[in-house]
């Protein structure tokens, strides 16, 4: 919920996007991006960053020696990302593309990347878009490639859902005021990932179980 709201609101002022997202995630998102880079990205990896935003994670991974292709539908966000990439001197390691999830089929070949990462992007997608993105991710990933998603999810326990609601209800109000709709955190994300042909390797929950980082490996039970 909160990820969608503030991504939409802050997209109008993309230079403040990272500050806003980090503030409203209570510092979690920057720490998670560092963990993804430190634990799962290696020099020489080819990585797809879905919903790359202002390029924070893409730059971290490029500095470690990965070759990154970042996609996002927001031209202003990509403009900020491009400036930051130039400033940090990793231009030769990062390619940015303005495209939606549908663009995955046009721009990426089968078995073409080692890792796919996404932070606070899947919660913006409809259920059909999420399913499509997961299916395309499996197609794009090489054998034993990793899918790493960090996003807001629905807490499993009733108590945690109640406590989370009490903390986050003001965000629901802001959601309605800014985008005139009611939005929900992801439910059953691990199950959706498994159904798309991945084996969940690990999952780490934070903040009453409402924020989760899932690492999954492309399953190869079809002989591919």
């Amino acid at each position: 919920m909160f990820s969608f709201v503030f991504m939409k609101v802050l997209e109008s002022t993309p230079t403040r996007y990272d500050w806003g997202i980090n503030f409203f995630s209570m510092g979690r998102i920057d720490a998670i991006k560092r963990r993804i880079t430190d634990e799962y990205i290696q020099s020489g990896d080819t990585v797809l960053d879905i919903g790359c935003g202002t390029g924070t994670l893409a730059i971290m991974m490029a500095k470690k020696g990965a070759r990154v292709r970042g996609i996002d539908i927001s031209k202003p966000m990509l403009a900020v990302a491009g400036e930051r990439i130039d400033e940090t001197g990793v231009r030769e390691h990062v390619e940015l593309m303005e495209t939606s999830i549908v663009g995955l089929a046009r721009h990426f070949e089968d078995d073409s990347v080692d890792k796919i990462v996404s932070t606070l992007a899947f919660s913006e997608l409809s259920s059909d878009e999420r399913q499509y993105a997961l299916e395309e991710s499996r197609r794009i990933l090489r054998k034993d490639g990793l899918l790493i998603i960090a996003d807001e999810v629905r807490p499993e326990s009733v108590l945690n859902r109640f406590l989370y609601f009490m903390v986050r209800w003001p965000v629901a109000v802001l959601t309605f005021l800014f985008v005139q709709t009611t939005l929900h955190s992801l439910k059953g994300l691990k199950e959706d990932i498994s159904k798309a042909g991945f084996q969940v390797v690990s999952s780490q929950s934070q903040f009453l179980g409402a924020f989760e980082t899932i690492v999954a490996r492309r399953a190869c039970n079809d002989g591919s």
Side-chain angles (χ1 to χ4, degrees):
M1 183 191 307
F2 79 93
S3 57
F4 182 94
V5 177
F6 289 107
M7 286 175 80
K8 290 302 182 185
V9 174
L10 293 170
E11 276 178 10
S12 62
T13 55
T15 55
R16 293 182 299 201
Y17 173 84
D18 291 327
W19 176 87
I21 289 298
N22 197 47
F23 176 80
F24 287 108
S25 65
M26 301 180 188
R28 290 177 182 83
I29 193 61
D30 275 0
I32 287 171
K33 288 178 180 179
R34 286 192 295 270
R35 177 174 173 259
I36 290 172
T37 303
D38 293 342
E39 296 187 12
Y40 300 106
I41 305 302
Q42 300 175 354
S43 179
D45 278 347
T46 55
V47 185
L48 165 61
D49 186 356
I50 296 177
C52 64
T54 57
T56 305
L57 179 55
I59 291 170
M60 288 181 185
M61 296 186 294
K63 285 183 175 180
K64 197 169 180 180
R67 301 191 67 84
V68 185
R69 298 178 74 182
I71 68 167
D72 205 289
I73 61 173
S74 171
K75 183 177 292 186
M77 302 282 273
L78 290 173
V80 173
E83 293 175 1
R84 292 179 174 178
I85 287 164
D86 289 336
E87 290 171 359
T88 52
V90 295
R91 172 59 65 180
E92 64 182 50
H93 295 286
V94 184
E95 177 186 0
L96 301 176
M97 290 182 288
E98 183 187 350
T99 187
S100 67
I101 290 297
V102 176
L104 293 175
R106 297 194 305 271
H107 296 293
F108 293 89
E109 299 179 354
D110 295 359
D111 310 312
S112 58
V113 303
D114 300 303
K115 314 280 171 61
I116 295 178
V117 301
S118 182
T119 57
L120 296 178
F122 269 67
S123 54
E124 290 196 71
L125 305 176
S126 68
S127 59
D128 288 341
E129 288 172 330
R130 287 195 298 273
Q131 179 181 350
Y132 179 80
L134 290 171
E135 291 172 352
E136 282 295 288
S137 294
R138 188 185 187 282
R139 177 186 67 80
I140 294 166
L141 276 171
R142 296 190 176 112
K143 182 179 179 180
D144 293 327
L146 293 181
L147 172 68
I148 306 161
I149 299 176
D151 221 314
E152 188 181 19
V153 298
R154 183 183 180 187
E156 294 183 0
S157 79
V158 175
L159 176 59
N160 282 351
R161 285 201 298 271
F162 173 77
L163 293 174
Y164 180 69
F165 173 79
M166 295 302 293
V167 172
R168 289 301 180 188
W169 73 264
V171 178
V173 175
L174 287 174
T175 302
F176 184 79
L177 291 176
F178 282 114
V179 295
Q180 287 76 55
T181 190
T182 300
L183 303 165
H184 304 281
S185 53
L186 295 175
K187 181 181 179 181
L189 181 58
K190 279 187 288 192
E191 290 78 6
D192 290 342
I193 290 172
S194 297
K195 289 177 182 177
F198 290 91
Q199 178 185 1
V200 174
V201 176
S202 67
S203 63
Q204 184 179 56
S205 298
Q206 294 178 302
F207 189 45
L208 300 173
F211 200 92
E212 191 166 25
T213 303
I214 301 171
V215 180
R217 191 179 305 277
R218 172 185 156 179
C220 298
N221 52 11
D222 59 1
S224 61

